[in-house]
Amino acid sequence: MDSKTIGILGGGQLGRMVVEAAHRLNVKTVILDAPNSPAKQIHAGEHVDGSFKDPADIAKLASKCDVITVEIEHVNADTLADLQKTGVEVHPSPETIRIIQDKYRQKEHLISHGIPVAESYEVTESTEAALVVAAEKVGYPCVVKAKTLAYDGRGNFVLKGPENVKEALEFLSDRPLYVEKWCPFVKELAVMVVRSTDGTTVAYPTVETVQKNNICHTVYAPARDVSPSTLYEAQLVAENAIKSFTGAGIFGVEMFLLENGTIVLNEIAPRPHNSGHYTTDACSTSQFEAHVRAILGLPLFPEMAQMRTADTHAIMLNILGGDKPDSELEYCKRSLSVPGSTIHLYGKTTRPERKMGHINIVASSMDECERRLAKISGEDIEEAP
Ligand code: ATP
Ligand code: MG
Ligand code: MG
C-alpha cells in the first residue's frame, strides 16, 4: 500500500500490533528495542537491537526507514527533533511527544487550549514544605503525580492529609512532582482519536474503562449507562484536545465523568492505547491500522472508526500475569470455547501484574458480552442438573 518503511521506537505489545496491521497492508516495519521483544517475535525483518532512549540507536533506526513513530512516549524527544531537522518524518511530532511525556506540561498545554482538566500545581522542590504548599492549594485528598515516566499509576500517590506527606515523598523519591485536585468521578471514559498529516481528526466511540490497582482491567464499548449527549461530548473534548497538537497518528484520551455530567480530561497518550484494543475486533478499522494510515498519509474518514454494525458491543479484558507462571492462560483456555471472543497474547514472560495479553469479546448486546465475560473469568454459575 505504501513504499515507505516505518521505524518504531519500542517493540512491546503496542508495536507488535502496529506491525500486524502494517503487515496486512504490506507496509514494511523496522523495530528498535531489545532482541526478541514482542514486536520482533512476529516479524523476521532486519531490526535494530538497542534502546529507544539512545541517540545512536535512534539514528541507526532512522537510517533504515522513512517515517519514525513511537509505541511509548518515554523516548528521547530531543534526538527525534534533531532527526526531523535532517528531513526524517517523525509522527507524532517530537514537540507533541515532548509536551505529553511531562504530565504537568501536558496539563499546562491543555489549559492554554481551553480543555477541561483537574486543577494542578507544581511541587517546586522535593521537600515536605513544598508539597504541603501545593497540596493546600487544591485541598485534601489530592493526587501527587510524577511529571515524567509514569505508567499504571506507579508515579501516583493519593495524599489523604498532611500526615501522609512524608510517605508520599518516600514513595515517589526524587522524581519531579505536581499535585492534582481529586476528581470524584462516577466513571472513567476514553476516546481514541486519529489525526492525519493535515490535522483533521476522527474520533472512535466513547468507551468506559475500569481500572483495578491503577491498571486498566476492562473496557466497555460503548460506555454503559451514559447518555448519547455525554458520549458525544467526550468525543468532542478528545478531538479538540488532539487538534491542539502537531503531527499525525493515533492518540488515546483518558477522561473522568463527574456526577453532574461534567467531563474532565485526565491524560493523553500519543500512541495506540489499551483503551483502544477493542477496535481490532469491534470497529471497521483498528486503532493500529488507523495509526499506520495516519502516519503514511493514507485515507482516514469517520466510518472507519465506527463499531462494525449498529448493534456491535464489545468488552476488552486485560490478561495480567498472576502469582504463578502462565496462570493467565486459564482465561485464554476458557475463552477458546466462548463465541465472539478473540485472544491477543503478546509473547512476554510472566510477571505478576504484567500485561500479558487481552481478550476482546464481541456480541450484539452488552448483556451478552457480560455473560461471555463471566464465562471467561470463570464466574458463571453452573446450573444445577
Ligand atoms: P497510565 O497507565 O494510564 O498511563 P498513569 O500512571 O499515567 O496511568 P493516571 O492516568 O494519572 O496514571 O492515573 C491512574 C488512575 O488513577 C486513573 O485512571 C484514575 O483511576 C486515578 N486517578 C488519577 N488522577 C486522579 C484524580 N485527579 N482524581 C481521582 N482519581 C485519579
Ligand atoms: Mg499515563
Ligand atoms: Mg492513565
Side-chain angles (χ1 to χ4, degrees), residues 73 103 150-152 254 267-268 271:
E73 58 274 30
K103 287 165 82 171
Y151 71 100
D152 289 346
E254 299 176 11
E267 62 164 347
I268 294 172
R271 52 167 169 79

Side-chain angles (χ1 to χ4, degrees), residues 351-371:
R351 270 205 314 261
E353 303 276 88
R354 192 175 199 200
K355 287 177 181 165
M356 302 300 295
H358 66 271
I359 296 173
N360 283 338
I361 304 162
V362 178
S364 56
S365 71
M366 196 51 94
D367 282 349
E368 184 54 26
C369 288
E370 285 175 342
R371 278 192 287 277

Side-chain angles (χ1 to χ4, degrees), residues 40 52 56 112 138 154 159 181 281 286 298 301 336 344 347:
K40 290 183 183 178
F52 46 74
S112 72
V138 291
R154 288 173 205 216
L159 195 57
K181 190 171 175 155
D281 298 299
S286 76
L298 298 173
F301 49 91
L336 286 172
H344 301 257

